[in-house]
Amino acid sequence: MIKEFTSESVSEGHPDKISDQISDAVLDAALKQDPSARVAVETFVTTNFVLIGGEVSGNFTLDYEAIARKTIKEIGYVDEEDGFDASSCEVLVKVHEQSKDIAQGVNEDDGLFKGLGAGDQGIMFGYACNQTPSLMPLPIILSHRILQELAKKRKEGVSFLKPDSKAQVSVEYFNKKPVRVSTVVVSTQHSASISHDELTNYVIENVIKSVISSDLLKDTKYLINPTGRFVVGGPHGDAGLTGRKIIVDTYGGWSRHGGGAFSGKDSTKVDRSASYMARYVAKNIVGAGLADEVEVQLSYAIGFPEPISILIDTFRTETCDVSFIYEVVNSLFDFTPSGIIKALDLRRPIFQQTAAYGHFGRLDVDLPWERTDKVDDIKALEKKKIIHS
């Protein structure tokens, strides 16, 4: 049976992603000074204006304005004509100390329960499948890579390309296997000097076809800047806010999402760290060949260290008894916040690089939750079980 699935991505210059990157740049700056820093920061951007707000605690002192300007400049907003400029935009900072009630629940041994408690209640999902080498669904990976290639061309000197862009890829499946890219939509901000036909040809020939293999481009429909013009973009064209692109950040809608955003939150916030852990678990299960696709759900209560529940769904693709997969998960992975932080080394300033082009399936950066370093341990448990049975 033939089915189609579509995922979208947005570029580093998209208003919401500017906000995510500033929030994570603040987090990284805090972690550089204090690895135990607590950060929950949101960013709002609009025409030549940035608002940074939230709560923090720890042994650090930050120049929030300088962090914002540096991030905006690196993204590529350096021209006042774009209505958003790193050097001239207004930056307003409203950051206060973290609530002591929250801190008590997540500080080691300060709360009602022993150990580092979860920073909030909530549900988190992690997913992996064998569609791609990165064990991700193909539509979201292709959407990310188109925009990464656009950004690369722009930064290499293609002057008519501007920072704000979006991509959407529809993939046709037969018996759950991707067979064709049916439609590619790209909307990219551009200078007024280039015609729609010139831009369309450039994006198709120099970006899309360099990212998507020719065997997938069969009778593919290309929709490039479908409105015909995209000169006004970035925060001048639309306001942006941290945490509004959570589906772009994860699996492009292929897998479920718990609802919590990632950017601007330190690793005591299980919205972020437990989602990373769930991906790590799912990826190692698929990497070890125990299933072709896996979704892991974790749930937590604020202040309580252990997850309230763990659910593993293999969508009937498992190659062993599902009870053995649960045995593997319970034996090899620690789902307490302190266990997750230790296993994935999350006290380091590694988060700004995740704030654009997805938190999962990245081959361009080394992210600890993307490693399959538990595969050998899983296979050893499998071998031991076979011998004993």
Side-chain angles (χ1 to χ4, degrees):
M1 183 177 180
I2 294 175
K3 293 184 177 181
E4 283 185 277
F5 192 89
T6 302
S7 292
E8 74 153 348
S9 180
V10 299
S11 72
E12 63 200 73
H14 185 281
D16 293 331
K17 279 290 146 199
I18 296 170
S19 297
D20 285 344
Q21 289 166 92
I22 292 172
S23 294
D24 271 340
V26 169
L27 172 61
D28 280 356
L31 291 173
K32 284 178 183 177
Q33 296 182 38
D34 180 2
S36 297
R38 299 287 171 79
V39 176
V41 167
E42 313 285 341
T43 304
F44 168 78
V45 296
T46 188
T47 302
N48 234 27
F49 176 78
V50 178
L51 170 64
I52 302 173
E55 57 177 33
V56 301
S57 65
N59 186 26
F60 59 87
T61 302
L62 301 181
D63 185 338
Y64 294 93
E65 181 177 339
I67 292 169
R69 294 191 189 283
K70 181 176 184 290
T71 304
I72 295 164
K73 182 178 180 180
E74 289 172 347
I75 292 168
Y77 285 103
V78 292
D79 189 343
E80 288 189 5
E81 291 185 2
D82 288 330
F84 191 71
D85 174 48
S87 60
S88 65
C89 65
E90 179 186 357
V91 180
L92 181 63
V93 179
K94 295 292 183 180
V95 177
H96 61 269
E97 186 178 0
Q98 182 187 52
S99 160
K100 295 188 185 302
D101 290 346
I102 294 175
Q104 174 178 290
V106 297
N107 285 343
E108 198 86 37
D109 301 329
D110 280 356
L112 294 175
F113 304 97
K114 185 177 181 180
L116 183 69
D120 202 351
Q121 72 175 49
I123 57 173
M124 298 85 206
F125 289 94
Y127 177 83
C129 64
N130 59 9
Q131 286 185 35
T132 61
S134 60
L135 304 185
M136 286 283 288
L138 184 60
I140 186 65
I141 288 296
L142 293 181
S143 297
H144 286 324
R145 288 179 183 168
I146 287 170
L147 296 183
Q148 285 178 298
E149 187 65 20
L150 263 177
K152 179 184 175 185
K153 300 290 188 189
R154 172 173 60 85
K155 292 176 180 180
E156 287 175 348
V158 180
S159 59
F160 56 80
L161 294 176
K162 296 286 187 173
D164 190 2
S165 57
K166 304 174 77 171
Q168 186 171 287
V169 176
S170 301
V171 176
E172 191 176 279
Y173 287 81
F174 182 73
N175 290 336
K176 294 189 175 181
K177 300 295 182 183
V179 295
R180 185 175 78 94
V181 171
S182 58
T183 306
V184 179
V185 182
V186 176
S187 295
T188 182
Q189 185 186 9
H190 59 90
S191 64
S193 61
I194 190 169
S195 71
H196 183 262
D197 287 345
E198 289 174 315
L199 181 67
T200 296
N201 183 69
Y202 181 85
V203 171
I204 293 173
E205 297 300 325
N206 296 278
V207 178
I208 295 172
K209 289 186 177 180
S210 70
V211 168
I212 303 178
S213 62
S214 58
D215 61 311
L216 289 173
L217 296 175
K218 304 168 185 174
D219 299 319
T220 301
K221 180 187 293 184
Y222 301 104
L223 297 172
I224 312 302
N225 282 22
T227 64
R229 180 180 170 89
F230 186 5
V231 173
V232 177
H236 188 42
D238 193 9
L241 186 66
T242 298
R244 285 206 298 202
K245 288 294 178 284
I246 57 177
I247 303 304
V248 170
D249 285 342
T250 55
Y251 307 101
W254 186 282
S255 173
R256 287 172 284 193
H257 194 292
F262 299 158
S263 291
K265 298 177 181 178
D266 71 83
S267 55
T268 65
K269 314 297 190 297
V270 285
D271 276 343
R272 182 171 215 159
S273 56
S275 295
Y276 290 167
M277 191 63 167
R279 163 65 176 171
Y280 180 56
V281 172
K283 190 168 184 180
N284 276 275
I285 291 171
V286 173
L290 300 188
D292 292 337
E293 106 180 274
V294 173
E295 184 181 75
V296 177
Q297 186 204 45
L298 305 173
S299 68
Y300 289 85
I302 188 169
F304 189 70
E306 299 288 342
I308 303 304
S309 67
I310 300 173
L311 176 68
I312 299 168
D313 191 347
T314 59
F315 307 95
R316 298 183 179 178
T317 67
E318 68 274 7
T319 61
C320 63
D321 195 295
V322 174
S323 63
F324 175 67
I325 297 178
Y326 275 97
E327 182 182 328
V328 164
V329 169
N330 289 323
S331 298
L332 297 180
F333 300 96
D334 181 349
F335 294 101
T336 63
S338 58
I340 294 171
I341 290 168
K342 182 179 179 181
L344 301 180
D345 198 8
L346 297 180
R347 298 290 195 193
R348 297 176 296 135
I350 61 172
F351 298 105
Q352 186 181 351
Q353 61 188 343
T354 69
Y357 311 118
H359 294 246
F360 308 123
R362 300 285 294 275
L363 300 177
D364 56 321
V365 292
D366 180 20
L367 301 174
W369 51 90
E370 288 299 304
R371 298 171 187 166
T372 51
D373 52 3
K374 292 292 186 180
V375 166
D376 288 343
D377 294 334
I378 292 172
K379 290 183 176 179
L381 285 175
E382 189 174 26
K383 184 178 179 180
K384 183 178 179 182
K385 183 177 180 66
I386 291 171
I387 291 172
H388 286 163
S389 62

